[in-house]
Amino acid sequence: MERSTRGAMAARSWLLLLLGLAGVLHVHGQCAPDSTGFVSIDCGQPEQAGRYVDAATKLPYVPDGAYTDAGANHNISPEYIKPTSSKRYLNVRSFPGVARSCYTLPSTVARGSKYLLRATFMYGNYDGLSRLPVFDLHLGVNFWRTMNITTADKPQLAEIIAVVPDESVQVCLVDTGSGTPFISALDLRPVRDTLYPQANATQALVLVDRTNLGLSGAAIVRYPEDPYDRVWIPWSEIDSNEWTEISTPEKVKELADPRFNAPSAVMQTAITPRNGSRSASSRTIELSWDAAPNHAYPDPGVIGIVYFAELEAVAGAAARQFEMAINGKLWSKAPFMPQHLVCDAFFNSEAHRGFGGHYNITLNATANSTLLPTINAAEFFSVVSTANVATESKDVAAMAAIKAKYEVKKNWAGDPCAPKTLVWEGLNCSYAISMPPRITRLNMSFGGLSGAMPSHFTNLKAIKYLDLSYNNFTGSIPNALSELPFLVVLDLTGNQLNGSIPSGLMKRMQDGSLTLRYGKNPNLCSNSASCEHTEKKSKSMLAVYIVVPILATVVIGALALLLLIMRKKQGSKKGSVKPENEASGVHSQSRNGDTHSLLQLDNRRFTYKDLQVMTNNFKTVLGRGGFGSVYDGFLADGTQVAVKLRSESSSQGVREFLTEAQTLTKIHHKNLVSMVGYCKDGEHMALVYEHMSEGNLEDKLRGKIVIVDL
Ligand SMILES: *[C@@H]1O[C@H](CO)[C@@H](O)[C@H](O)[C@H]1NC(C)=O
Ligand SMILES: *[C@@H]1O[C@H](CO)[C@@H](O)[C@H](O)[C@H]1NC(C)=O
Ligand SMILES: *[C@@H]1O[C@H](CO)[C@@H](O)[C@H](O)[C@H]1NC(C)=O
Ligand SMILES: *[C@@H]1O[C@H](CO)[C@@H](O)[C@H](O)[C@H]1NC(C)=O
Ligand SMILES: *[C@@H]1O[C@H](CO)[C@@H](O)[C@H](O)[C@H]1NC(C)=O
Ligand SMILES: *[C@@H]1O[C@H](CO)[C@@H](O)[C@H](O)[C@H]1NC(C)=O
Ligand SMILES: *[C@@H]1O[C@H](CO)[C@@H](O)[C@H](O)[C@H]1NC(C)=O
Ligand SMILES: *[C@@H]1O[C@H](CO)[C@@H](O)[C@H](O)[C@H]1NC(C)=O
Ligand SMILES: *[C@@H]1O[C@H](CO)[C@@H](O)[C@H](O)[C@H]1NC(C)=O
Ligand SMILES: *[C@@H]1O[C@H](CO)[C@@H](O)[C@H](O)[C@H]1NC(C)=O
């Protein structure tokens, strides 16, 4: 007894969109839709071409310039242009040489709503290379599917039904090293939230096939018959020896069940086994699909939705009754009897796994059934996780503003932090389970940035390291930067900043919670001559912190320091008479090239080469004063040091240098920053201090802080 006659529906791992082929489409009515919440984008359409109405659907299509800032427009090769070609397939936007390129679409209904997103791809040898690419699509920070472009002359389609949690959603094309991603068109369609319950906040449905079964159905059904503009493609691999059509001119009602519905135009046709066929003798319908595995989902979970309606008047003793099995397993205990002219659906709520993406259904007439099974339509999906969350929206907004202001190219597209493999260049992020990623480090060093420092940086509330060194920032340093609670390093070295260091930042530096680097900003007030009012206080702040606890034991030390400061101020004032005191003695000795007075210093002497090693060739500037720059360094034993190197152009003389060295070394206290050593190597002179930073300094700070201009 032969039972398993198989009406195989060949799997369509990709779909050919026959849309736009003239004469194929039903077009009902001429009025363009208005408040549908639809977004229809003709990718690669020049901006000046403007909006136009699609001949088939009467939906307005717009150029894509407003939705992406990446890529370039191309026309397809003339040999692929047919008179019937839909306008949106005549051009593409392609994205050479970038890892990820994105379109940002508005969530037109509300946050958390459900949408159908559809991208179409018609290669048409637009690049003249005759090379069909393979690339990935992402929906925001989640993998959607791999797009394997297998034909140059027909549009291929990708569709996903997903909940969009935010006010916008990104569709990203990801270069996987197998050709340049491109796109022809992009549609966003709101879907009633109750539809497709398998699509939820953490799972989306990727379309494999959506079929309208029926022989006469040569037409594609979509908008406006389908209010969600789903594209129902007629089953083309029809074997008319095996199947016959049942159809009705009467409208098929939507089921009360709000979870599924297919448009009446789709439901008005169905297939049943042809009398005398193998399927008829076995009284079964068998259909199967395969979802292609991909690198992200080697065993895709699959979901099927099968639509039924009784189209014939079944009267008297006649009955149509069948059972249904998925992948060989009986689906429902009770046999199923389609209702007359009412749409109904069978579906699986949980994705089937473990069959390598294979999915088959068997409709088997029961013994009591006088009629053979029928089926009107079917949808088949694979599921993908949408559990990856996007970066904290405030961080995203700040980065978007920074990107917009500076036209930073690099790989800045899509989400800044996710997925981890596509983090923006110059960023580091923190990732915590079920929390949005946060931006913790931003390096825009040598970024060619100019103008006033924008406030956007102060909106990156989780940032720890902000490196804006070697740009052309002008104006003053925004004090708001001091309000970044986690900021530990702020590098402003090598800009054109002016004014003084704002009090908030000073305070953060003094309490040790922040390391500020601001060297090579010639107009910054901390830097000598340009800043008169601060000169009285200290000429170069922060080169080294010296802590003076209010303790009787260090009063002497403090006095000595004060003395030093006073003397320095006098000494550095232009045109003032330098006091003839012990300093001159040192001066004369050093002028004679005799350095033995330095031997009195109870510290180590370093060569210039030692300093180079210590500071990694003077790589990191901690600060800068009239004397010269202060560099970050390490001794061989790991001790962090600050190396203050006298610059050639220093207004401070050799004599002052030596005086300071000598005076400072006389002050010894455990709570004072100690001098580690000095360098007097030919023309090169430097002082080397223990460098207290961050927690280290904070721990030690107890009393009054005196910032000494060294
Ligand atoms: C793309 O499709 C071609 C032809 O079907 C196939 O040979 C190739 O392996 C596919 N590539 C990927 C990455 O799936
Ligand atoms: C979405 O559906 C999947 C599969 O049924 C389920 O595991 C997951 O918990 C659902 N997510 C939400 C947020 O309801
Ligand atoms: C099927 O064909 C047989 C003879 O070939 C005929 O007797 C029967 O009525 C047909 N059934 C239907 C439903 O057309
Ligand atoms: C249906 O799927 C099951 C499970 O994968 C398999 O064992 C069975 O052979 C399939 N039947 C057909 C007709 O493909
Ligand atoms: C079809 O139904 C018959 C009885 O109605 C049953 O014996 C048979 O096992 C069923 N076949 C399948 C594949 O479910
Ligand atoms: C089939 O018909 C018999 C007799 O009419 C009835 O007793 C039985 O319940 C029916 N079976 C089903 C599955 O409907
Ligand atoms: C931080 O980002 C840079 C690139 O910007 C990268 O080279 C580095 O590995 C990242 N660090 C961490 C800890 O992820
Ligand atoms: C910051 O970026 C600059 C320029 O891209 C680079 O030279 C430097 O190494 C980066 N710094 C860090 C700590 O990654
Ligand atoms: C700053 O601007 C000047 C001229 O405006 C330019 O020569 C220089 O290269 C710029 N520096 C940086 C670091 O961008
Ligand atoms: C700082 O620079 C800005 C623009 O570069 C200028 O308008 C402002 O007057 C300068 N301020 C000081 C104190 O020099």
Side-chain angles (χ1 to χ4, degrees), residues 347-410:
F347 57 91
N348 52 307
S349 306
E350 295 294 323
H352 282 244
R353 294 174 207 275
F355 299 102
H358 179 75
Y359 192 92
N360 63 33
I361 59 169
T362 308
L363 310 180
N364 185 9
T366 62
N368 286 7
S369 183
T370 61
L371 300 171
L372 295 175
T374 69
I375 177 168
N376 304 53
E379 288 179 289
F380 181 60
F381 300 95
S382 62
V383 298
V384 291
S385 165
T386 54
N388 288 344
V389 286
T391 302
E392 165 66 35
S393 60
K394 291 192 180 82
D395 286 4
V396 173
M399 289 310 299
I402 291 164
K403 181 185 163 185
K405 183 161 170 66
Y406 296 113
E407 291 171 3
V408 184
K409 294 293 178 196
K410 296 185 188 170

Side-chain angles (χ1 to χ4, degrees), residues 466-483:
L466 180 56
D467 186 348
L468 301 173
S469 60
Y470 301 100
N471 284 295
N472 266 343
F473 282 120
T474 52
S476 55
I477 302 172
N479 192 38
L481 288 167
S482 67
E483 284 151 28

Side-chain angles (χ1 to χ4, degrees), residues 627 644-646 654 657 679-681 683-687:
F627 177 90
K644 186 182 167 187
L645 184 68
R646 179 183 173 272
V654 174
F657 165 77
C679 166
K680 173 80 182 73
D681 185 351
E683 289 301 299
H684 301 295
M685 287 183 226
L687 298 176

